[in-house]
Amino acid sequence: MTVRTLRGHHLLCVHGFQGMGYSPGFVKKMETIVEDIRDPEKDFPIRVVVDLDDACMACPHNGGSFCAASAGSDAHVKGLDERAIAHLKLEDGKLYRKSKLVEWTARTLGPEDLDQICKGCSWLSYGVCKAGIRKLNEEWRR
């Protein structure tokens, strides 16, 4: 079974992803990741990292070993990763089952938590991330 690698903050993004992205290639890659994570029939290991991940491999800002979107962008996205991982009480570099990550995210993260975790993210103002987490929370309350 293939191990997926996801940045800490991408663990949150996948729940609200609506097809927006940095390039058509990035969007396509995120769509495949999101489809797998949202599919309750699929379960697989995910390595959670504060670093480039599977989605970043298709990003036009991939600088090889860092985010090259702009000056300070690598530190910014790593900060997003660190805050997401800390909030979820996960460990950088550790493997987790997808099913457990989704359940844990639903149980420990609310939409308003994104205001702090994702502070400074250009996508936060669109509201899709909070809507995705809200929907995830509702699904797990049933």
Side-chain angles (χ1 to χ4, degrees):
M1 180 162 278
T2 304
V3 174
R4 286 225 186 257
T5 299
L6 281 181
R7 301 189 80 116
H9 80 272
H10 283 164
L11 290 173
L12 312 182
C13 300
V14 295
H15 300 291
F17 182 75
Q18 295 292 317
M20 297 180 282
Y22 305 105
S23 69
F26 178 83
V27 169
K28 185 176 171 98
K29 183 64 174 177
M30 274 298 281
E31 284 173 343
T32 63
I33 293 168
V34 167
E35 185 177 297
D36 286 347
I37 289 178
R38 291 182 184 171
D39 184 341
E41 300 301 313
K42 291 185 179 178
D43 201 11
F44 48 89
I46 295 176
R47 183 174 313 282
V48 177
V49 297
V50 176
D51 204 354
L52 299 180
D53 68 0
D54 294 350
C56 297
M57 296 305 115
C59 184
H61 306 301
N62 182 338
S65 61
F66 64 97
C67 177
S70 63
S73 61
D74 192 60
H76 170 70
V77 292
K78 284 181 177 173
L80 296 174
D81 295 335
E82 290 166 350
R83 289 191 298 275
I85 288 171
H87 183 90
L88 295 171
K89 296 178 174 52
L90 303 175
E91 292 179 44
D92 180 22
K94 189 170 177 181
L95 281 174
Y96 299 90
R97 298 295 308 165
K98 185 232 29 176
S99 56
K100 296 298 181 189
L101 281 173
V102 171
E103 179 181 2
W104 184 245
T105 300
R107 295 186 188 284
T108 62
L109 183 78
E112 306 318 315
D113 294 325
L114 300 185
D115 290 330
Q116 196 283 320
I117 296 168
C118 305
K119 187 175 183 172
C121 176
S122 60
W123 301 104
L124 189 59
S125 64
Y126 290 95
V128 296
C129 303
K130 286 185 178 183
I133 296 300
R134 193 172 294 109
K135 182 178 179 211
L136 179 69
N137 293 157
E138 290 167 2
E139 289 169 357
W140 280 90
R141 277 192 223 120
R142 291 183 196 155

